[in-house]
Coordinates of all heavy atoms in Angstrom, one line a residue:
T363 N -6.9 5.4 1.6 CA -6.4 6.2 0.5 C -7.0 7.6 0.6 O -8.2 7.6 1.2 CB -6.4 5.6 -0.9 OG1 -5.6 6.3 -1.7 CG2 -7.9 5.6 -1.3
S364 N -6.4 8.5 0.0 CA -6.9 9.8 0.0 C -8.3 9.9 -0.9 O -8.4 9.0 -1.9 CB -5.9 10.7 -0.8 OG -6.3 12.0 -1.0
F365 N -9.1 10.7 -0.5 CA -10.4 10.8 -1.3 C -10.2 11.2 -2.7 O -11.1 10.9 -3.5 CB -11.3 11.9 -0.6 CG -12.1 11.3 0.4 CD1 -11.5 11.2 1.8 CD2 -13.5 10.9 0.3 CE1 -12.4 10.5 2.7 CE2 -14.2 10.4 1.3 CZ -13.6 10.1 2.5
D366 N -9.1 11.8 -3.0 CA -8.8 12.3 -4.4 C -7.8 11.3 -5.1 O -7.4 11.7 -6.3 CB -8.4 13.7 -4.6 CG -7.1 14.0 -3.7 OD1 -6.4 13.0 -3.3 OD2 -6.8 15.2 -3.4
N367 N -7.5 10.1 -4.6 CA -6.7 9.1 -5.3 C -7.5 8.1 -6.0 O -7.8 7.0 -5.7 CB -5.7 8.5 -4.4 CG -4.7 7.6 -5.1 OD1 -4.8 7.2 -6.2 ND2 -3.6 7.2 -4.2
Q368 N -8.0 8.7 -7.2 CA -8.9 7.8 -8.1 C -8.4 6.4 -8.5 O -9.0 5.5 -8.6 CB -9.5 8.6 -9.3 CG -10.3 9.8 -8.9 CD -11.5 9.5 -7.9 OE1 -12.1 8.5 -8.2 NE2 -11.8 10.2 -7.0
A369 N -7.0 6.5 -8.8 CA -6.4 5.3 -9.2 C -6.5 4.2 -8.2 O -6.8 3.0 -8.5 CB -4.9 5.5 -9.6
M370 N -6.1 4.6 -7.0 CA -6.2 3.6 -5.8 C -7.6 3.0 -5.6 O -7.8 2.0 -5.2 CB -5.5 4.1 -4.6 CG -5.0 3.1 -3.6 SD -3.8 1.9 -4.3 CE -4.0 0.5 -3.2
I371 N -8.5 4.0 -5.5 CA -10.0 3.8 -5.3 C -10.4 2.8 -6.3 O -11.1 1.9 -5.9 CB -10.8 5.1 -5.2 CG1 -10.4 5.9 -4.1 CG2 -12.3 4.8 -5.3 CD1 -11.0 7.3 -4.1
A372 N -10.1 2.9 -7.6 CA -10.5 2.0 -8.6 C -9.9 0.6 -8.3 O -10.6 -0.4 -8.6 CB -10.0 2.5 -9.9
I373 N -8.7 0.5 -7.9 CA -8.0 -0.8 -7.6 C -8.8 -1.4 -6.4 O -9.1 -2.6 -6.5 CB -6.5 -0.6 -7.4 CG1 -5.7 -0.2 -8.6 CG2 -5.9 -1.9 -6.7 CD1 -4.3 0.3 -8.4
F374 N -9.1 -0.6 -5.4 CA -9.8 -1.3 -4.2 C -11.1 -1.8 -4.7 O -11.5 -3.0 -4.4 CB -10.0 -0.2 -3.2 CG -8.9 0.1 -2.2 CD1 -8.7 1.4 -1.9 CD2 -8.0 -0.9 -1.8 CE1 -7.5 1.8 -1.0 CE2 -7.0 -0.6 -1.0 CZ -6.8 0.7 -0.5
E375 N -11.8 -1.1 -5.6 CA -13.1 -1.6 -6.1 C -13.1 -2.8 -7.0 O -13.8 -3.7 -6.8 CB -13.9 -0.4 -6.8 CG -14.3 0.7 -5.7 CD -14.8 1.9 -6.5 OE1 -14.8 2.0 -7.7 OE2 -15.3 2.7 -5.7
K376 N -12.0 -2.8 -7.8 CA -11.8 -4.0 -8.7 C -11.5 -5.2 -7.9 O -11.8 -6.4 -8.3 CB -10.6 -3.6 -9.7 CG -10.5 -4.4 -11.0 CD -9.5 -4.0 -11.8 CE -9.8 -2.6 -12.4 NZ -8.7 -2.1 -13.3
L377 N -10.8 -5.1 -6.8 CA -10.3 -6.2 -5.9 C -11.2 -6.5 -4.8 O -11.0 -7.3 -3.9 CB -8.8 -5.9 -5.5 CG -7.9 -5.9 -6.6 CD1 -6.4 -5.6 -6.0 CD2 -7.8 -7.1 -7.5
H378 N -12.5 -5.9 -4.8 CA -13.5 -6.2 -4.0 C -13.2 -5.8 -2.5 O -13.6 -6.5 -1.6 CB -13.9 -7.7 -4.0 CG -14.2 -8.2 -5.4 ND1 -15.2 -7.8 -6.1 CD2 -13.4 -9.1 -6.2 CE1 -15.2 -8.3 -7.3 NE2 -14.1 -9.1 -7.4
Y379 N -12.6 -4.7 -2.3 CA -12.4 -4.1 -1.0 C -13.7 -3.4 -0.7 O -14.3 -2.9 -1.6 CB -11.3 -3.1 -1.0 CG -9.9 -3.9 -0.7 CD1 -9.4 -4.6 -1.8 CD2 -9.3 -3.7 0.5 CE1 -8.1 -5.2 -1.6 CE2 -8.1 -4.3 0.6 CZ -7.5 -5.1 -0.4 OH -6.3 -5.7 -0.2
V380 N -14.1 -3.3 0.5 CA -15.4 -2.7 1.0 C -15.1 -1.4 1.6 O -14.2 -1.3 2.5 CB -16.1 -3.6 1.9 CG1 -17.4 -2.9 2.4 CG2 -16.4 -4.9 1.0
Y381 N -15.7 -0.3 1.2 CA -15.5 1.0 1.9 C -16.2 1.0 3.2 O -17.4 0.7 3.3 CB -16.2 2.1 0.9 CG -16.2 3.5 1.6 CD1 -15.0 4.2 1.8 CD2 -17.4 4.1 2.1 CE1 -14.9 5.5 2.4 CE2 -17.4 5.3 2.7 CZ -16.2 6.0 2.8 OH -16.2 7.2 3.4
C382 N -15.4 1.3 4.2 CA -16.0 1.2 5.6 C -16.1 2.5 6.4 O -16.7 2.6 7.5 CB -15.0 0.3 6.4 SG -14.9 -1.4 5.9
G383 N -15.6 3.6 5.8 CA -15.7 4.9 6.4 C -14.5 5.7 6.3 O -13.7 5.5 5.3
E384 N -14.3 6.6 7.3 CA -13.1 7.6 7.1 C -12.1 7.4 8.4 O -12.6 7.1 9.5 CB -13.6 8.9 7.2 CG -14.3 9.4 6.1 CD -14.7 10.9 6.1 OE1 -14.1 11.7 6.9 OE2 -15.6 11.3 5.3
V385 N -10.9 7.5 8.1 CA -9.8 7.6 9.1 C -9.0 8.9 8.8 O -9.2 9.4 7.7 CB -8.9 6.3 9.1 CG1 -9.6 5.1 9.5 CG2 -8.3 6.1 7.7
Y386 N -8.3 9.4 9.8 CA -7.5 10.6 9.6 C -6.0 10.4 9.8 O -5.6 9.6 10.7 CB -8.0 11.7 10.6 CG -9.4 12.2 10.3 CD1 -10.6 11.4 10.5 CD2 -9.5 13.5 9.5 CE1 -11.7 11.9 10.2 CE2 -10.7 13.9 9.2 CZ -11.8 13.1 9.6 OH -13.1 13.7 9.2
F387 N -5.3 11.0 8.8 CA -3.7 10.9 8.9 C -3.3 12.3 8.7 O -3.7 13.0 7.7 CB -3.2 10.0 7.9 CG -3.4 8.5 8.2 CD1 -4.4 7.8 7.8 CD2 -2.4 7.9 9.1 CE1 -4.6 6.5 8.1 CE2 -2.7 6.5 9.3 CZ -3.7 5.8 8.9
R388 N -2.4 12.7 9.6 CA -1.8 14.2 9.5 C -3.0 15.2 9.2 O -2.7 16.1 8.4 CB -0.7 14.1 8.3 CG 0.4 13.2 8.8 CD 1.6 13.2 7.8 NE 1.2 13.0 6.4 CZ 0.9 12.0 5.8 NH1 0.8 11.0 6.5 NH2 0.6 12.0 4.5
G389 N -4.0 15.0 9.9 CA -5.2 15.9 9.8 C -6.1 15.9 8.6 O -7.0 16.6 8.5

Side-chain angles (χ1 to χ4, degrees):
T363 194
S364 176
F365 275 80
D366 59 12
N367 186 341
Q368 295 305 321
M370 196 69 202
I371 291 168
I373 290 169
F374 282 141
E375 290 172 357
K376 197 176 295 178
L377 296 178
H378 309 292
Y379 279 72
V380 176
Y381 174 70
C382 295
E384 292 182 20
V385 292
Y386 286 80
F387 286 94
R388 298 183 310 287

